[in-house]
Amino acid sequence: MQYTREVMNTVLSVEDLQTRFFTKAGSFAVLNGVSYEVQKKETVGIVGESGCGKTVTAMSIMGLLADNGKVTAGSIKFQGDNLLDMKPHHLAAIRGNRIAMIFQEPMTALNPVYTVGFQIDEQLMHHQLLSKKDARDKAIEMLRLVGIPSPANGYKNFPHQLSGGMRQRAMIAMALSCEPEFLIADEPTTALDVTIQAQILDLIGELQSKFDMAVQFITHDLGVISEVADRVVVMYAGSVCEIAPTGEIFSRPAHPYTQGLLDSIPKIGTKTDRLRIIPGNVPSPMRLPKGCPFQNRCPRVSEQCRRSRPQLEQVKPAHSVACFYKIVN
């Protein structure tokens, strides 16, 4: 079989992913047919308002959904192998090793009763079968690599003894200790001041180059995405509404939701009493409207939008949109 260069370089392929949560009040879909790809060495940004499904997508990939969550359809292929078909012990051998994740809040992701060094050691000994001494040496080297001062001392610290920025660096050191091929960064700069935020973004970029990783960067901050992403996946209410190269998204957005997100960014030098907003709220997954999920907030809504859900369609090379009345420049 002949493979194209693009297929050979595809690290992650998510196709028609559907995830549901089951509660006493009934079941409801949180992801409704999410599809996208991440290529080798590429950074793909996943953006959208809170509640749009960004983190659930990541947890579905990692196999870390809550007990009442389940992937009910679709596929998640890593290097061509469907993660959803794997037995739990095979997935566990990949998770934290070939696929790693930087979680949103390191204070809750790191175990408070163990030192940072112990937690990195444990991962290295489990996945790479290193001895205790070799694991310790590599853990200290990783802490040095992520810029923690006196890494040998940082190795002995408990999470509460580190500042927010240092905890995030320790979390990155843990995620990258096994030199993964694919990294999911879920809001890695949340609650950090802008100086530390810039340092963390630079650090992730440097380590991506060092380890030749593909990165899925989740955030609601479009300013961050403009700095780090090669392509952008815009999500709304559990669906993908637009995918395009970063420059194309910022200069020629085709979906009205993407346009609304960009319009809501404060512009330097613009004098106004009020920031522009997208009216309304993201609908609850338990009460999604029939048809397009964005219909109740869209300035170009029509009867067709209320009757049918638009499918993701290519409008330009590498640019796809799910909208009946897309803007094509």
Side-chain angles (χ1 to χ4, degrees):
M1 181 182 292
Q2 294 296 315
Y3 289 90
T4 65
R5 176 182 173 82
E6 181 175 340
V7 170
M8 290 175 64
N9 285 336
T10 300
V11 174
L12 183 83
S13 177
V14 177
E15 187 172 346
D16 193 31
L17 181 64
Q18 300 177 44
T19 298
R20 298 186 71 87
F21 280 79
F22 298 83
T23 69
K24 291 180 180 179
S27 70
F28 54 92
V30 177
L31 300 181
N32 296 285
V34 171
S35 298
Y36 64 93
E37 292 182 345
V38 184
Q39 306 298 324
K40 185 176 180 181
K41 301 183 183 180
E42 181 184 37
T43 298
V44 171
I46 311 287
V47 303
E49 294 167 278
S50 296
C52 72
K54 304 185 299 294
T55 296
V56 173
T57 301
M59 293 302 187
S60 297
I61 294 168
M62 296 293 289
L64 294 175
L65 290 168
D67 290 342
N68 65 332
K70 182 180 180 182
V71 175
T72 55
S75 65
I76 304 170
K77 293 182 179 178
F78 173 67
Q79 302 285 33
D81 297 322
N82 191 354
L83 299 179
L84 301 178
D85 291 339
M86 291 184 179
K87 294 185 182 299
H89 66 279
H90 289 151
L91 181 59
I94 291 175
R95 183 174 55 224
N97 186 19
R98 298 175 63 197
I99 302 176
M101 185 168 177
I102 302 170
F103 293 91
Q104 192 169 138
E105 177 44 64
M107 198 57 188
T108 56
L110 293 169
N111 193 320
V113 301
Y114 293 109
T115 64
V116 167
F118 177 89
Q119 294 180 65
I120 301 176
D121 287 352
E122 187 177 43
Q123 181 162 297
L124 288 167
M125 289 189 291
H126 175 72
H127 286 301
Q128 299 198 338
L129 305 179
L130 298 185
S131 67
K132 175 66 177 174
K133 179 183 182 304
D134 289 343
R136 179 183 182 278
D137 290 344
K138 184 163 186 181
I140 292 174
E141 173 59 21
M142 288 303 304
L143 293 173
R144 183 198 64 76
L145 196 63
V146 300
I148 290 185
S150 303
N153 292 328
Y155 174 91
K156 302 173 186 176
N157 286 144
F158 289 89
H160 72 271
Q161 295 176 298
L162 301 175
S163 67
M166 290 299 107
R167 279 197 297 270
Q168 193 63 283
R169 288 173 184 268
M171 192 76 204
I172 294 171
M174 183 181 298
L176 300 186
S177 61
C178 293
E179 302 180 16
E181 297 151 65
F182 179 57
L183 174 70
I184 299 175
D186 187 6
E187 303 272 11
T189 57
T190 296
L192 300 178
D193 64 54
V194 292
T195 302
I196 302 300
Q197 182 182 89
Q199 292 174 359
I200 294 298
L201 294 177
D202 288 343
L203 174 61
I204 292 173
E206 291 169 7
L207 295 175
Q208 179 181 15
S209 297
K210 179 178 177 63
F211 296 124
D212 287 339
M213 291 183 303
V215 175
Q216 177 173 306
F217 200 103
I218 299 171
T219 184
H220 62 274
D221 190 332
L222 288 170
V224 168
I225 284 298
S226 69
E227 293 290 329
V228 304
D230 301 303
R231 283 190 305 129
V232 181
V233 176
V234 183
M235 290 187 66
Y236 184 80
S239 300
V240 174
C241 57
E242 186 163 6
I243 302 176
T246 304
E248 185 84 1
I249 283 283
F250 279 83
S251 62
R252 288 177 292 276
H255 196 284
Y257 178 60
T258 309
Q259 182 69 65
L261 289 177
L262 293 171
D263 287 345
S264 67
I265 300 174
K267 307 296 190 295
I268 295 176
T270 301
K271 295 182 180 180
T272 180
D273 293 331
R274 297 179 67 87
L275 295 174
R276 297 185 66 175
I277 63 170
I278 304 174
N281 298 298
V282 179
S284 164
M286 299 185 74
R287 293 183 294 276
L288 285 177
K290 180 182 178 181
C292 178
F294 189 57
Q295 60 181 267
N296 294 330
R297 305 175 72 188
C298 182
R300 297 200 298 279
V301 64
S302 73
E303 280 306 310
Q304 184 182 15
C305 306
R306 301 191 191 282
R307 289 194 309 266
S308 307
R309 177 183 285 265
Q311 301 301 306
L312 202 62
E313 297 179 349
Q314 184 171 312
V315 293
K316 295 179 184 178
H319 193 161
S320 298
V321 186
C323 181
F324 295 121
Y325 301 98
K326 55 190 79 72
I327 307 167
V328 181
N329 297 318

